[in-house]
Amino acid sequence: MVSRVIPVDPFDLVIFGGTGDLAKRKVIPALFRRYCAGQMPEGARIIGAARSEHDAEEYREFAAESIREFSPGRGCEDGTLEGFLSRLDYVTIDAMGEDGWEELASKMTEDRVRAFYFSVGPGLFGALADKIHAHGMATPEARIVVEKPFGNDLATAKELNATLATHFDEGQIYRIDHYLGKETVQNLMAVRFGNMLFEPLWNSQYVDHIQITVAETVGVGGRGEYYDKSGAMRDMMQNHLMQLLCLIAMEPPARFEPDAVRDEKLKVIRALGDVLPHHLVRGQYDADADHPSYREAVDNPRSKTESYVALKTHINNWRWAGTPFYLRTGKRLKARSSVINVMFKDTPHSIFGEEAGRHANVLSIRLQPNEGITLQVTIKEPGPGGMRLIDVPLDMTFAEALGEEGGDPPDAYERLIMDVIRGNQTLFMRGDEVEAAWAWTDPIIAGWEARGDVPKPYDSGSTGPRDAELLLLRDKREWRGITP
Ligand code: NAD
């Protein structure tokens, strides 16, 4: 299967913060791969814009290095890199001052899609929006792309939405959650709404519960200062896990169109139940032989910020009443693994007797690594010796299923950036979704702050605090393992 490349018209893409970490690791390599795929038409231009003084040539060298480091061996023939780099330009600009803005405006091409990627801290979003507008660049074809964190709570998210809305319509604002750009996430919708097989079973009558795990092996690294003010709830749960929850739980939209999909996601968030204190577990990783503890890493010996959070919640609607959703995410865990497990109920009666064992089907949707979908089905253990049941996987690992000619599927940033250029907002969060997610998150945070809860320590390389195991054991359930 060869991936299809949908042509786009020439565009101008400005990367504010074009010399930063995100631009280097994700945005530039993603653009290069789209260039290699033939999706960057003649005349399309990428303009890096940041505070540091560079000329275009130095910026091309920066881009070349980022591609060599973060996108090595992607099968681009010789000469391709030069072709890509020739599209790059650079403007030294200060979001808070006047430097560079006229120069940037003079580089814009009339009447074409222009995307402004805000790869800078959210404190600069307002200033950038004002300047783009003041210098006549906020044309109807303009789009802005903003990164997380989108606010720190409901009040700041509302403020941010209002700031951006001063100069841009909602249809011009692309709030990125790179989880939504993952192949499997879109496949989740294909599996749910493209097959007759699953949707009739997709409700509390057949689904016992759903687990969503986003586990990382890394610690806070160099982001300590930011992270200690944020924590796992704000940094991961409010956005990434919430988005996954929406896609798994939403009603079928009438069409696969941005607002139809986003309306359904919003309904899920608004139907979320409160999280009771005993349905919430927060943790902080301890040191191991090679790594500092969380508190050492953030240089705050009394930190009460969580590097791990697990919770149980419900979606209060007809489809899901009575089906618990267990969500967990954390750093320095046993393996890097993002997976959604849909745990079906047991058969109502075993005709094989209890000695054959009881087995329930599990549909696992793996987002990373090894993107793919596995369905555990129960069969007879082969051989003589009576009827004993075992689970075997029906496995669809995308890399295998799509074959070698399919090549690597585009990564999330490739897809999302091209969606911005195409003007497709389906995989981006709408302002009201983000606000609703904060409206659910804020009282949970306020609750533990009022109680003065201190996160439970957990071993680096483990599955998290023991209390998170108990959260399910109390319900006579168990987390699926965290495996790579
Ligand atoms: P960074 O500190 O590495 O880079 C910041 C960039 O902004 C630099 O290019 C800098 O020159 C530019 N900049 C700073 N002040 C400026 C000013 N006044 N005017 C013009 N340019 C200015 O940050 P980053 O890690 O690239 O993150 C950028 C944004 O993306 C942040 O909001 C971050 O939370 C978000 N984000 C980053 C990652 C990541 O992997 N790095 C992932 C998700 C979200």
Side-chain angles (χ1 to χ4, degrees):
M1 201 213 70
V2 179
S3 56
R4 201 158 53 93
V5 172
I6 303 169
V8 294
D9 291 331
F11 57 87
D12 291 342
L13 171 66
V14 179
I15 313 171
F16 291 112
T19 57
D21 179 65
L22 181 69
K24 183 173 183 174
R25 288 192 308 114
K26 294 290 181 189
V27 181
I28 293 171
L31 287 165
F32 174 61
R33 292 194 291 267
R34 286 296 90 201
Y35 176 84
C36 295
Q39 213 175 24
M40 205 168 290
E42 201 60 46
R45 286 171 340 137
I46 299 155
I47 304 168
R51 235 178 354 180
S52 31
E53 296 266 353
H54 295 291
D55 59 23
E57 209 38 59
E58 285 165 348
Y59 192 60
R60 289 183 191 126
E61 191 40 48
F62 167 84
E65 267 171 38
S66 95
I67 290 163
R68 278 184 218 113
E69 189 175 350
F70 294 105
S71 192
R74 287 292 294 220
C76 261
E77 310 87 48
D78 291 346
T80 321
L81 181 59
E82 281 65 36
F84 172 74
L85 295 178
S86 71
R87 308 293 180 85
L88 265 58
D89 202 346
Y90 185 80
V91 179
T92 304
I93 217 160
D94 185 353
M96 307 306 285
E98 284 308 315
D99 292 351
W101 286 98
E102 275 310 307
E103 186 187 351
L104 180 64
S106 72
K107 288 180 188 284
M108 296 283 107
T109 320
E110 290 271 316
D111 297 331
R112 64 156 67 165
V113 166
R114 50 181 67 169
F116 298 97
Y117 200 120
F118 290 9
S119 185
V120 296
L124 295 180
F125 290 178
L128 289 177
D130 285 345
K131 289 279 171 15
I132 291 169
H133 178 258
H135 292 271
M137 291 183 278
T139 59
E141 295 78 28
R143 288 128 212 218
I144 58 172
V145 184
V146 296
E147 272 288 346
K148 80 168 198 185
F150 200 88
N152 196 43
D153 54 18
L154 178 58
T156 47
K158 277 186 168 170
E159 208 177 298
L160 208 45
N161 275 333
T163 304
L164 299 180
T166 320
H167 303 306
F168 298 95
D169 296 338
E170 183 60 36
Q172 295 178 290
I173 304 170
Y174 290 72
R175 297 174 193 78
I176 281 210
D177 182 328
H178 68 273
Y179 269 69
L180 294 183
K182 289 181 182 293
E183 187 73 20
T184 326
V185 168
Q186 290 163 80
N187 234 313
L188 175 56
M189 287 190 269
V191 166
R192 281 195 62 191
F193 305 129
N195 295 286
M196 201 53 213
L197 198 59
F198 297 108
E199 201 48 31
L201 307 180
W202 213 261
N203 55 55
S204 58
Q205 204 182 335
Y206 296 100
V207 175
D208 179 69
H209 71 282
I210 290 181
Q211 302 183 3
I212 303 180
T213 298
V214 175
E216 299 178 284
T217 50
V218 293
V220 292
R223 296 169 70 219
E225 200 186 324
Y226 155 76
Y227 194 92
D228 203 38
K229 292 194 203 91
S230 165
M233 189 75 183
R234 290 188 171 97
D235 191 51
M236 299 295 288
M237 186 70 78
Q238 183 274 344
N239 40 51
H240 303 317
L241 279 87
M242 177 72 71
Q243 288 295 320
L244 300 180
L245 173 70
C246 286
L247 294 174
I248 204 92
M250 71 183 184
E251 297 300 315
R255 291 170 306 282
F256 189 56
E257 285 175 6
D259 279 332
V261 172
R262 299 188 300 175
D263 286 346
E264 295 306 334
K265 283 163 56 196
L266 180 61
K267 286 184 207 162
V268 172
I269 306 175
R270 288 189 173 155
L272 278 174
D274 296 338
V275 174
L276 305 173
H278 61 286
H279 291 164
L280 175 74
V281 178
R282 296 163 68 235
Q284 257 179 6
Y285 59 81
D286 276 336
D288 65 14
D290 302 318
H291 305 99
S293 69
Y294 173 80
R295 289 180 175 192
E296 285 160 348
V298 301
D299 198 15
N300 180 2
R302 279 200 247 283
S303 173
K304 287 188 190 170
T305 305
E306 75 288 355
S307 60
Y308 176 100
V309 63
L311 57 83
K312 170 178 162 181
T313 187
H314 282 93
I315 296 171
N316 296 319
N317 63 17
W318 272 46
R319 184 188 286 265
W320 293 118
T323 304
F325 286 73
Y326 299 95
L327 280 57
R328 63 177 167 173
T329 180
K331 294 192 174 292
R332 279 253 189 280
L333 296 179
K334 196 175 165 197
R336 173 172 170 262
S337 165
S338 299
V339 58
I340 304 169
N341 288 306
V342 181
M343 314 289 292
F344 288 92
K345 289 188 174 170
D346 266 356
T347 49
H349 162 72
S350 172
I351 64 165
F352 307 110
E354 286 309 313
E355 61 282 6
R358 295 296 292 270
H359 298 258
N361 301 119
V362 182
L363 184 71
S364 299
I365 299 138
R366 292 188 309 277
L367 297 137
Q368 65 188 20
N370 307 324
E371 294 191 33
I373 295 179
T374 307
L375 179 65
Q376 294 284 348
V377 282
T378 304
I379 61 162
K380 176 187 169 299
E381 190 176 80
M387 186 61 117
R388 283 187 309 275
L389 303 181
I390 53 166
D391 291 333
V392 291
L394 280 179
D395 195 340
M396 188 176 69
T397 302
F398 294 157
E400 288 166 18
L402 301 180
E404 280 173 14
E405 331 92 88
D408 287 345
D411 89 5
Y413 276 90
E414 291 177 61
R415 181 190 321 276
L416 294 174
I417 293 171
M418 293 324 289
D419 277 355
V420 173
I421 303 299
R422 281 191 286 262
N424 183 347
Q425 290 187 304
T426 310
L427 301 176
F428 296 83
M429 293 176 293
R430 208 167 54 192
D432 51 4
E433 271 183 83
V434 177
E435 290 183 13
W438 280 121
W440 178 76
T441 312
D442 277 3
I444 304 174
I445 296 175
W448 81 55
E449 284 177 350
R451 293 190 299 272
D453 284 358
V454 178
K456 299 278 182 331
Y458 62 92
D459 289 342
S460 282
S462 71
T463 57
R466 169 83 184 137
D467 284 16
E469 304 297 327
L470 296 177
L471 179 68
L472 270 74
L473 286 176
R474 279 200 302 265
D475 295 345
K476 301 197 169 38
R477 299 186 174 105
E478 253 182 288
W479 289 107
R480 304 276 290 175
I482 298 181
T483 48

